[in-house]
PDB file of all heavy atoms in Angstrom:
ATOM      1  N   ILE Y 822       4.490 -13.255  10.440  1.00  0.00           N
ATOM      2  CA  ILE Y 822       5.544 -12.406   9.800  1.00  0.00           C
ATOM      3  C   ILE Y 822       5.027 -11.777   8.517  1.00  0.00           C
ATOM      4  O   ILE Y 822       5.298 -10.546   8.258  1.00  0.00           O
ATOM      5  CB  ILE Y 822       6.824 -13.227   9.614  1.00  0.00           C
ATOM      6  CG1 ILE Y 822       7.447 -13.546  10.933  1.00  0.00           C
ATOM      7  CG2 ILE Y 822       7.810 -12.459   8.703  1.00  0.00           C
ATOM      8  CD1 ILE Y 822       8.585 -14.616  10.822  1.00  0.00           C
ATOM      9  N   MET Y 823       4.363 -12.515   7.683  1.00  0.00           N
ATOM     10  CA  MET Y 823       3.839 -12.008   6.484  1.00  0.00           C
ATOM     11  C   MET Y 823       2.768 -10.881   6.715  1.00  0.00           C
ATOM     12  O   MET Y 823       2.730  -9.923   5.943  1.00  0.00           O
ATOM     13  CB  MET Y 823       3.320 -13.136   5.606  1.00  0.00           C
ATOM     14  CG  MET Y 823       4.502 -13.960   5.025  1.00  0.00           C
ATOM     15  SD  MET Y 823       4.047 -15.322   3.957  1.00  0.00           S
ATOM     16  CE  MET Y 823       3.075 -14.576   2.740  1.00  0.00           C
ATOM     17  N   GLU Y 824       2.035 -11.050   7.808  1.00  0.00           N
ATOM     18  CA  GLU Y 824       1.068  -9.987   8.156  1.00  0.00           C
ATOM     19  C   GLU Y 824       1.855  -8.728   8.554  1.00  0.00           C
ATOM     20  O   GLU Y 824       1.410  -7.638   8.191  1.00  0.00           O
ATOM     21  CB  GLU Y 824       0.191 -10.463   9.312  1.00  0.00           C
ATOM     22  CG  GLU Y 824      -0.840 -11.500   8.932  1.00  0.00           C
ATOM     23  CD  GLU Y 824      -1.594 -12.092  10.100  1.00  0.00           C
ATOM     24  OE1 GLU Y 824      -1.222 -11.766  11.277  1.00  0.00           O
ATOM     25  OE2 GLU Y 824      -2.434 -12.952   9.892  1.00  0.00           O
ATOM     26  N   GLU Y 825       2.905  -8.920   9.315  1.00  0.00           N
ATOM     27  CA  GLU Y 825       3.776  -7.775   9.639  1.00  0.00           C
ATOM     28  C   GLU Y 825       4.402  -7.096   8.415  1.00  0.00           C
ATOM     29  O   GLU Y 825       4.485  -5.871   8.319  1.00  0.00           O
ATOM     30  CB  GLU Y 825       4.878  -8.199  10.607  1.00  0.00           C
ATOM     31  CG  GLU Y 825       4.344  -8.617  11.953  1.00  0.00           C
ATOM     32  CD  GLU Y 825       3.685  -7.477  12.750  1.00  0.00           C
ATOM     33  OE1 GLU Y 825       4.073  -6.319  12.627  1.00  0.00           O
ATOM     34  OE2 GLU Y 825       2.846  -7.791  13.575  1.00  0.00           O
ATOM     35  N   ILE Y 826       4.834  -7.884   7.455  1.00  0.00           N
ATOM     36  CA  ILE Y 826       5.380  -7.409   6.200  1.00  0.00           C
ATOM     37  C   ILE Y 826       4.320  -6.573   5.495  1.00  0.00           C
ATOM     38  O   ILE Y 826       4.571  -5.445   5.049  1.00  0.00           O
ATOM     39  CB  ILE Y 826       5.888  -8.551   5.302  1.00  0.00           C
ATOM     40  CG1 ILE Y 826       7.136  -9.159   5.879  1.00  0.00           C
ATOM     41  CG2 ILE Y 826       6.109  -8.052   3.894  1.00  0.00           C
ATOM     42  CD1 ILE Y 826       7.583 -10.438   5.263  1.00  0.00           C
ATOM     43  N   HIS Y 827       3.099  -7.087   5.411  1.00  0.00           N
ATOM     44  CA  HIS Y 827       2.057  -6.375   4.770  1.00  0.00           C
ATOM     45  C   HIS Y 827       1.744  -5.066   5.484  1.00  0.00           C
ATOM     46  O   HIS Y 827       1.676  -4.012   4.809  1.00  0.00           O
ATOM     47  CB  HIS Y 827       0.757  -7.247   4.762  1.00  0.00           C
ATOM     48  CG  HIS Y 827      -0.401  -6.592   4.113  1.00  0.00           C
ATOM     49  ND1 HIS Y 827      -1.375  -5.883   4.749  1.00  0.00           N
ATOM     50  CD2 HIS Y 827      -0.691  -6.441   2.740  1.00  0.00           C
ATOM     51  CE1 HIS Y 827      -2.261  -5.391   3.866  1.00  0.00           C
ATOM     52  NE2 HIS Y 827      -1.861  -5.714   2.651  1.00  0.00           N
ATOM     53  N   TYR Y 828       1.693  -5.083   6.757  1.00  0.00           N
ATOM     54  CA  TYR Y 828       1.433  -3.859   7.541  1.00  0.00           C
ATOM     55  C   TYR Y 828       2.539  -2.827   7.316  1.00  0.00           C
ATOM     56  O   TYR Y 828       2.263  -1.658   7.127  1.00  0.00           O
ATOM     57  CB  TYR Y 828       1.233  -4.208   9.023  1.00  0.00           C
ATOM     58  CG  TYR Y 828       1.032  -2.995   9.910  1.00  0.00           C
ATOM     59  CD1 TYR Y 828      -0.222  -2.464   9.986  1.00  0.00           C
ATOM     60  CD2 TYR Y 828       2.111  -2.438  10.604  1.00  0.00           C
ATOM     61  CE1 TYR Y 828      -0.456  -1.331  10.804  1.00  0.00           C
ATOM     62  CE2 TYR Y 828       1.875  -1.315  11.438  1.00  0.00           C
ATOM     63  CZ  TYR Y 828       0.632  -0.759  11.466  1.00  0.00           C
ATOM     64  OH  TYR Y 828       0.389   0.345  12.253  1.00  0.00           O
ATOM     65  N   PHE Y 829       3.774  -3.317   7.396  1.00  0.00           N
ATOM     66  CA  PHE Y 829       4.895  -2.384   7.231  1.00  0.00           C
ATOM     67  C   PHE Y 829       4.897  -1.697   5.856  1.00  0.00           C
ATOM     68  O   PHE Y 829       5.012  -0.445   5.836  1.00  0.00           O
ATOM     69  CB  PHE Y 829       6.305  -3.129   7.426  1.00  0.00           C
ATOM     70  CG  PHE Y 829       7.450  -2.307   7.087  1.00  0.00           C
ATOM     71  CD1 PHE Y 829       7.953  -1.409   8.041  1.00  0.00           C
ATOM     72  CD2 PHE Y 829       8.079  -2.386   5.890  1.00  0.00           C
ATOM     73  CE1 PHE Y 829       9.025  -0.581   7.768  1.00  0.00           C
ATOM     74  CE2 PHE Y 829       9.199  -1.605   5.569  1.00  0.00           C
ATOM     75  CZ  PHE Y 829       9.670  -0.734   6.473  1.00  0.00           C
ATOM     76  N   PHE Y 830       4.731  -2.438   4.845  1.00  0.00           N
ATOM     77  CA  PHE Y 830       4.768  -1.810   3.490  1.00  0.00           C
ATOM     78  C   PHE Y 830       3.537  -0.934   3.291  1.00  0.00           C
ATOM     79  O   PHE Y 830       3.640   0.120   2.603  1.00  0.00           O
ATOM     80  CB  PHE Y 830       4.853  -2.916   2.402  1.00  0.00           C
ATOM     81  CG  PHE Y 830       6.261  -3.329   2.197  1.00  0.00           C
ATOM     82  CD1 PHE Y 830       6.817  -4.431   2.888  1.00  0.00           C
ATOM     83  CD2 PHE Y 830       7.126  -2.669   1.317  1.00  0.00           C
ATOM     84  CE1 PHE Y 830       8.116  -4.817   2.700  1.00  0.00           C
ATOM     85  CE2 PHE Y 830       8.424  -3.107   1.067  1.00  0.00           C
ATOM     86  CZ  PHE Y 830       8.924  -4.149   1.777  1.00  0.00           C
ATOM     87  N   LYS Y 831       2.459  -1.267   3.877  1.00  0.00           N
ATOM     88  CA  LYS Y 831       1.207  -0.463   3.770  1.00  0.00           C
ATOM     89  C   LYS Y 831       1.448   0.881   4.507  1.00  0.00           C
ATOM     90  O   LYS Y 831       1.141   1.955   3.982  1.00  0.00           O
ATOM     91  CB  LYS Y 831       0.031  -1.209   4.314  1.00  0.00           C
ATOM     92  CG  LYS Y 831      -1.271  -0.482   4.231  1.00  0.00           C
ATOM     93  CD  LYS Y 831      -1.798  -0.516   2.792  1.00  0.00           C
ATOM     94  CE  LYS Y 831      -3.212   0.021   2.758  1.00  0.00           C
ATOM     95  NZ  LYS Y 831      -3.677   0.253   1.424  1.00  0.00           N
ATOM     96  N   GLU Y 832       1.907   0.836   5.719  1.00  0.00           N
ATOM     97  CA  GLU Y 832       2.045   2.044   6.553  1.00  0.00           C
ATOM     98  C   GLU Y 832       3.254   2.900   6.150  1.00  0.00           C
ATOM     99  O   GLU Y 832       3.140   4.130   6.140  1.00  0.00           O
ATOM    100  CB  GLU Y 832       2.173   1.641   8.036  1.00  0.00           C
ATOM    101  CG  GLU Y 832       0.921   1.017   8.635  1.00  0.00           C
ATOM    102  CD  GLU Y 832      -0.232   1.979   8.581  1.00  0.00           C
ATOM    103  OE1 GLU Y 832      -0.134   3.133   9.021  1.00  0.00           O
ATOM    104  OE2 GLU Y 832      -1.354   1.498   8.135  1.00  0.00           O
ATOM    105  N   GLU Y 833       4.360   2.267   5.877  1.00  0.00           N
ATOM    106  CA  GLU Y 833       5.598   2.977   5.622  1.00  0.00           C
ATOM    107  C   GLU Y 833       5.820   3.410   4.150  1.00  0.00           C
ATOM    108  O   GLU Y 833       6.439   4.456   3.894  1.00  0.00           O
ATOM    109  CB  GLU Y 833       6.814   2.184   6.050  1.00  0.00           C
ATOM    110  CG  GLU Y 833       6.848   1.871   7.558  1.00  0.00           C
ATOM    111  CD  GLU Y 833       6.932   3.112   8.414  1.00  0.00           C
ATOM    112  OE1 GLU Y 833       7.680   4.074   8.025  1.00  0.00           O
ATOM    113  OE2 GLU Y 833       6.309   3.131   9.487  1.00  0.00           O
ATOM    114  N   HIS Y 834       5.232   2.648   3.239  1.00  0.00           N
ATOM    115  CA  HIS Y 834       5.479   2.903   1.830  1.00  0.00           C
ATOM    116  C   HIS Y 834       4.215   2.986   0.969  1.00  0.00           C
ATOM    117  O   HIS Y 834       4.278   3.094  -0.223  1.00  0.00           O
ATOM    118  CB  HIS Y 834       6.424   1.800   1.243  1.00  0.00           C
ATOM    119  CG  HIS Y 834       7.689   1.710   1.942  1.00  0.00           C
ATOM    120  ND1 HIS Y 834       8.724   2.645   1.830  1.00  0.00           N
ATOM    121  CD2 HIS Y 834       8.203   0.793   2.836  1.00  0.00           C
ATOM    122  CE1 HIS Y 834       9.754   2.316   2.552  1.00  0.00           C
ATOM    123  NE2 HIS Y 834       9.455   1.187   3.189  1.00  0.00           N
ATOM    124  N   ASN Y 835       3.063   2.929   1.662  1.00  0.00           N
ATOM    125  CA  ASN Y 835       1.789   3.031   1.000  1.00  0.00           C
ATOM    126  C   ASN Y 835       1.669   2.011  -0.156  1.00  0.00           C
ATOM    127  O   ASN Y 835       1.151   2.292  -1.209  1.00  0.00           O
ATOM    128  CB  ASN Y 835       1.524   4.423   0.459  1.00  0.00           C
ATOM    129  CG  ASN Y 835       0.042   4.670   0.245  1.00  0.00           C
ATOM    130  OD1 ASN Y 835      -0.792   4.078   0.930  1.00  0.00           O
ATOM    131  ND2 ASN Y 835      -0.307   5.566  -0.674  1.00  0.00           N
ATOM    132  N   LEU Y 836       2.233   0.799   0.065  1.00  0.00           N
ATOM    133  CA  LEU Y 836       2.133  -0.270  -0.869  1.00  0.00           C
ATOM    134  C   LEU Y 836       1.325  -1.395  -0.279  1.00  0.00           C
ATOM    135  O   LEU Y 836       1.537  -1.854   0.844  1.00  0.00           O
ATOM    136  CB  LEU Y 836       3.564  -0.850  -1.179  1.00  0.00           C
ATOM    137  CG  LEU Y 836       4.502   0.029  -1.958  1.00  0.00           C
ATOM    138  CD1 LEU Y 836       5.913  -0.577  -1.950  1.00  0.00           C
ATOM    139  CD2 LEU Y 836       3.978   0.257  -3.347  1.00  0.00           C
ATOM    140  N   ASP Y 837       0.366  -1.860  -1.007  1.00  0.00           N
ATOM    141  CA  ASP Y 837      -0.540  -2.921  -0.537  1.00  0.00           C
ATOM    142  C   ASP Y 837      -0.073  -4.241  -1.196  1.00  0.00           C
ATOM    143  O   ASP Y 837      -0.609  -4.637  -2.213  1.00  0.00           O
ATOM    144  CB  ASP Y 837      -1.979  -2.560  -0.884  1.00  0.00           C
ATOM    145  CG  ASP Y 837      -2.958  -3.495  -0.196  1.00  0.00           C
ATOM    146  OD1 ASP Y 837      -2.604  -4.246   0.721  1.00  0.00           O
ATOM    147  OD2 ASP Y 837      -4.165  -3.509  -0.584  1.00  0.00           O
ATOM    148  N   LEU Y 838       0.888  -4.833  -0.548  1.00  0.00           N
ATOM    149  CA  LEU Y 838       1.437  -6.094  -1.065  1.00  0.00           C
ATOM    150  C   LEU Y 838       0.448  -7.261  -0.940  1.00  0.00           C
ATOM    151  O   LEU Y 838      -0.163  -7.367   0.110  1.00  0.00           O
ATOM    152  CB  LEU Y 838       2.700  -6.497  -0.311  1.00  0.00           C
ATOM    153  CG  LEU Y 838       3.955  -5.645  -0.497  1.00  0.00           C
ATOM    154  CD1 LEU Y 838       5.097  -6.260   0.315  1.00  0.00           C
ATOM    155  CD2 LEU Y 838       4.363  -5.573  -1.963  1.00  0.00           C
ATOM    156  N   GLY Y 839       0.288  -7.946  -2.032  1.00  0.00           N
ATOM    157  CA  GLY Y 839      -0.524  -9.142  -1.925  1.00  0.00           C
ATOM    158  C   GLY Y 839       0.267 -10.318  -1.387  1.00  0.00           C
ATOM    159  O   GLY Y 839       1.406 -10.169  -0.959  1.00  0.00           O
ATOM    160  N   TYR Y 840      -0.320 -11.514  -1.336  1.00  0.00           N
ATOM    161  CA  TYR Y 840       0.295 -12.636  -0.739  1.00  0.00           C
ATOM    162  C   TYR Y 840       1.631 -12.966  -1.421  1.00  0.00           C
ATOM    163  O   TYR Y 840       2.647 -13.249  -0.712  1.00  0.00           O
ATOM    164  CB  TYR Y 840      -0.648 -13.856  -0.871  1.00  0.00           C
ATOM    165  CG  TYR Y 840      -0.045 -15.112  -0.199  1.00  0.00           C
ATOM    166  CD1 TYR Y 840      -0.116 -15.293   1.195  1.00  0.00           C
ATOM    167  CD2 TYR Y 840       0.603 -16.080  -0.974  1.00  0.00           C
ATOM    168  CE1 TYR Y 840       0.380 -16.400   1.765  1.00  0.00           C
ATOM    169  CE2 TYR Y 840       1.176 -17.200  -0.391  1.00  0.00           C
ATOM    170  CZ  TYR Y 840       1.072 -17.350   0.947  1.00  0.00           C
ATOM    171  OH  TYR Y 840       1.594 -18.459   1.549  1.00  0.00           O
ATOM    172  N   ILE Y 841       1.687 -12.926  -2.746  1.00  0.00           N
ATOM    173  CA  ILE Y 841       2.908 -13.253  -3.450  1.00  0.00           C
ATOM    174  C   ILE Y 841       4.011 -12.263  -3.132  1.00  0.00           C
ATOM    175  O   ILE Y 841       5.170 -12.631  -2.861  1.00  0.00           O
ATOM    176  CB  ILE Y 841       2.686 -13.343  -5.018  1.00  0.00           C
ATOM    177  CG1 ILE Y 841       1.801 -14.551  -5.287  1.00  0.00           C
ATOM    178  CG2 ILE Y 841       3.984 -13.406  -5.770  1.00  0.00           C
ATOM    179  CD1 ILE Y 841       1.298 -14.649  -6.709  1.00  0.00           C
ATOM    180  N   GLY Y 842       3.671 -11.001  -3.107  1.00  0.00           N
ATOM    181  CA  GLY Y 842       4.641  -9.951  -2.740  1.00  0.00           C
ATOM    182  C   GLY Y 842       5.140 -10.130  -1.265  1.00  0.00           C
ATOM    183  O   GLY Y 842       6.382  -9.990  -1.030  1.00  0.00           O
ATOM    184  N   GLN Y 843       4.231 -10.408  -0.379  1.00  0.00           N
ATOM    185  CA  GLN Y 843       4.662 -10.696   0.999  1.00  0.00           C
ATOM    186  C   GLN Y 843       5.621 -11.928   1.107  1.00  0.00           C
ATOM    187  O   GLN Y 843       6.599 -11.818   1.771  1.00  0.00           O
ATOM    188  CB  GLN Y 843       3.420 -10.940   1.849  1.00  0.00           C
ATOM    189  CG  GLN Y 843       2.486  -9.776   2.012  1.00  0.00           C
ATOM    190  CD  GLN Y 843       1.157 -10.207   2.641  1.00  0.00           C
ATOM    191  OE1 GLN Y 843       1.108 -11.083   3.481  1.00  0.00           O
ATOM    192  NE2 GLN Y 843       0.068  -9.637   2.105  1.00  0.00           N
ATOM    193  N   GLU Y 844       5.251 -12.928   0.353  1.00  0.00           N
ATOM    194  CA  GLU Y 844       6.098 -14.120   0.367  1.00  0.00           C
ATOM    195  C   GLU Y 844       7.436 -13.917  -0.226  1.00  0.00           C
ATOM    196  O   GLU Y 844       8.455 -14.380   0.220  1.00  0.00           O
ATOM    197  CB  GLU Y 844       5.370 -15.295  -0.334  1.00  0.00           C
ATOM    198  CG  GLU Y 844       6.046 -16.624  -0.042  1.00  0.00           C
ATOM    199  CD  GLU Y 844       5.130 -17.808  -0.318  1.00  0.00           C
ATOM    200  OE1 GLU Y 844       4.460 -17.779  -1.383  1.00  0.00           O
ATOM    201  OE2 GLU Y 844       5.126 -18.701   0.554  1.00  0.00           O
ATOM    202  N   ASP Y 845       7.466 -13.048  -1.304  1.00  0.00           N
ATOM    203  CA  ASP Y 845       8.743 -12.713  -1.901  1.00  0.00           C
ATOM    204  C   ASP Y 845       9.703 -11.971  -0.915  1.00  0.00           C
ATOM    205  O   ASP Y 845      10.865 -12.255  -0.781  1.00  0.00           O
ATOM    206  CB  ASP Y 845       8.562 -11.846  -3.149  1.00  0.00           C
ATOM    207  CG  ASP Y 845       8.066 -12.631  -4.368  1.00  0.00           C
ATOM    208  OD1 ASP Y 845       8.127 -13.856  -4.310  1.00  0.00           O
ATOM    209  OD2 ASP Y 845       7.615 -11.993  -5.331  1.00  0.00           O
ATOM    210  N   VAL Y 846       9.084 -11.007  -0.137  1.00  0.00           N
ATOM    211  CA  VAL Y 846       9.874 -10.275   0.831  1.00  0.00           C
ATOM    212  C   VAL Y 846      10.304 -11.222   1.925  1.00  0.00           C
ATOM    213  O   VAL Y 846      11.470 -11.184   2.353  1.00  0.00           O
ATOM    214  CB  VAL Y 846       9.089  -9.085   1.363  1.00  0.00           C
ATOM    215  CG1 VAL Y 846       9.750  -8.450   2.600  1.00  0.00           C
ATOM    216  CG2 VAL Y 846       8.758  -8.054   0.316  1.00  0.00           C
ATOM    217  N   TYR Y 847       9.403 -12.054   2.413  1.00  0.00           N
ATOM    218  CA  TYR Y 847       9.726 -13.003   3.428  1.00  0.00           C
ATOM    219  C   TYR Y 847      10.876 -13.950   3.004  1.00  0.00           C
ATOM    220  O   TYR Y 847      11.860 -14.099   3.709  1.00  0.00           O
ATOM    221  CB  TYR Y 847       8.482 -13.887   3.765  1.00  0.00           C
ATOM    222  CG  TYR Y 847       8.734 -15.082   4.645  1.00  0.00           C
ATOM    223  CD1 TYR Y 847       8.748 -14.936   6.003  1.00  0.00           C
ATOM    224  CD2 TYR Y 847       8.965 -16.313   4.073  1.00  0.00           C
ATOM    225  CE1 TYR Y 847       8.973 -16.052   6.826  1.00  0.00           C
ATOM    226  CE2 TYR Y 847       9.213 -17.428   4.892  1.00  0.00           C
ATOM    227  CZ  TYR Y 847       9.226 -17.275   6.257  1.00  0.00           C
ATOM    228  OH  TYR Y 847       9.478 -18.384   7.054  1.00  0.00           O
ATOM    229  N   ASN Y 848      10.775 -14.513   1.783  1.00  0.00           N
ATOM    230  CA  ASN Y 848      11.786 -15.420   1.258  1.00  0.00           C
ATOM    231  C   ASN Y 848      13.121 -14.644   1.095  1.00  0.00           C
ATOM    232  O   ASN Y 848      14.173 -15.252   1.394  1.00  0.00           O
ATOM    233  CB  ASN Y 848      11.359 -16.035  -0.026  1.00  0.00           C
ATOM    234  CG  ASN Y 848      10.257 -17.070   0.173  1.00  0.00           C
ATOM    235  OD1 ASN Y 848      10.183 -17.688   1.212  1.00  0.00           O
ATOM    236  ND2 ASN Y 848       9.494 -17.265  -0.874  1.00  0.00           N
ATOM    237  N   PHE Y 849      13.066 -13.460   0.618  1.00  0.00           N
ATOM    238  CA  PHE Y 849      14.331 -12.651   0.447  1.00  0.00           C
ATOM    239  C   PHE Y 849      15.050 -12.485   1.786  1.00  0.00           C
ATOM    240  O   PHE Y 849      16.271 -12.752   1.852  1.00  0.00           O
ATOM    241  CB  PHE Y 849      14.012 -11.286  -0.146  1.00  0.00           C
ATOM    242  CG  PHE Y 849      15.139 -10.332  -0.095  1.00  0.00           C
ATOM    243  CD1 PHE Y 849      16.183 -10.462  -1.058  1.00  0.00           C
ATOM    244  CD2 PHE Y 849      15.263  -9.383   0.894  1.00  0.00           C
ATOM    245  CE1 PHE Y 849      17.263  -9.603  -1.017  1.00  0.00           C
ATOM    246  CE2 PHE Y 849      16.348  -8.508   0.925  1.00  0.00           C
ATOM    247  CZ  PHE Y 849      17.351  -8.632  -0.058  1.00  0.00           C
ATOM    248  N   PHE Y 850      14.366 -12.130   2.770  1.00  0.00           N
ATOM    249  CA  PHE Y 850      14.945 -11.897   4.065  1.00  0.00           C
ATOM    250  C   PHE Y 850      15.387 -13.237   4.771  1.00  0.00           C
ATOM    251  O   PHE Y 850      16.463 -13.295   5.365  1.00  0.00           O
ATOM    252  CB  PHE Y 850      14.097 -11.078   5.045  1.00  0.00           C
ATOM    253  CG  PHE Y 850      14.223  -9.655   4.751  1.00  0.00           C
ATOM    254  CD1 PHE Y 850      13.136  -8.979   4.109  1.00  0.00           C
ATOM    255  CD2 PHE Y 850      15.283  -8.914   5.117  1.00  0.00           C
ATOM    256  CE1 PHE Y 850      13.236  -7.630   3.836  1.00  0.00           C
ATOM    257  CE2 PHE Y 850      15.415  -7.544   4.774  1.00  0.00           C
ATOM    258  CZ  PHE Y 850      14.366  -6.929   4.189  1.00  0.00           C
ATOM    259  N   MET Y 851      14.641 -14.273   4.572  1.00  0.00           N
ATOM    260  CA  MET Y 851      15.026 -15.584   5.151  1.00  0.00           C
ATOM    261  C   MET Y 851      16.321 -16.083   4.466  1.00  0.00           C
ATOM    262  O   MET Y 851      17.244 -16.552   5.122  1.00  0.00           O
ATOM    263  CB  MET Y 851      13.940 -16.586   4.958  1.00  0.00           C
ATOM    264  CG  MET Y 851      12.710 -16.388   5.821  1.00  0.00           C
ATOM    265  SD  MET Y 851      13.105 -16.469   7.606  1.00  0.00           S
ATOM    266  CE  MET Y 851      13.290 -18.227   7.801  1.00  0.00           C
ATOM    267  N   GLU Y 852      16.427 -15.860   3.159  1.00  0.00           N
ATOM    268  CA  GLU Y 852      17.589 -16.321   2.433  1.00  0.00           C
ATOM    269  C   GLU Y 852      18.800 -15.378   2.665  1.00  0.00           C
ATOM    270  O   GLU Y 852      19.942 -15.851   2.724  1.00  0.00           O
ATOM    271  CB  GLU Y 852      17.306 -16.391   0.895  1.00  0.00           C
ATOM    272  CG  GLU Y 852      16.330 -17.489   0.554  1.00  0.00           C
ATOM    273  CD  GLU Y 852      15.852 -17.360  -0.893  1.00  0.00           C
ATOM    274  OE1 GLU Y 852      16.386 -16.514  -1.688  1.00  0.00           O
ATOM    275  OE2 GLU Y 852      14.946 -18.145  -1.280  1.00  0.00           O
TER     276      GLU Y 852
END
């Protein structure tokens, strides 16, 4: 899932999220 988050933000928003950013997005959606 975190790989998918990274890919989505890279392709759709040209943002290269690092591990912490990916985990923040993951945790936000899980919560």
Side-chain angles (χ1 to χ4, degrees):
I822 291 169
M823 288 180 54
E824 289 170 358
E825 293 293 332
I826 289 169
H827 181 261
Y828 178 80
F829 173 79
F830 277 91
K831 182 76 170 168
E832 293 298 313
E833 298 296 324
H834 301 288
N835 201 28
L836 293 171
D837 192 12
L838 291 181
Y840 181 83
I841 293 172
Q843 294 167 38
E844 193 162 44
D845 285 346
V846 172
Y847 170 86
N848 289 333
F849 170 77
F850 280 104
M851 289 298 286
E852 292 169 9

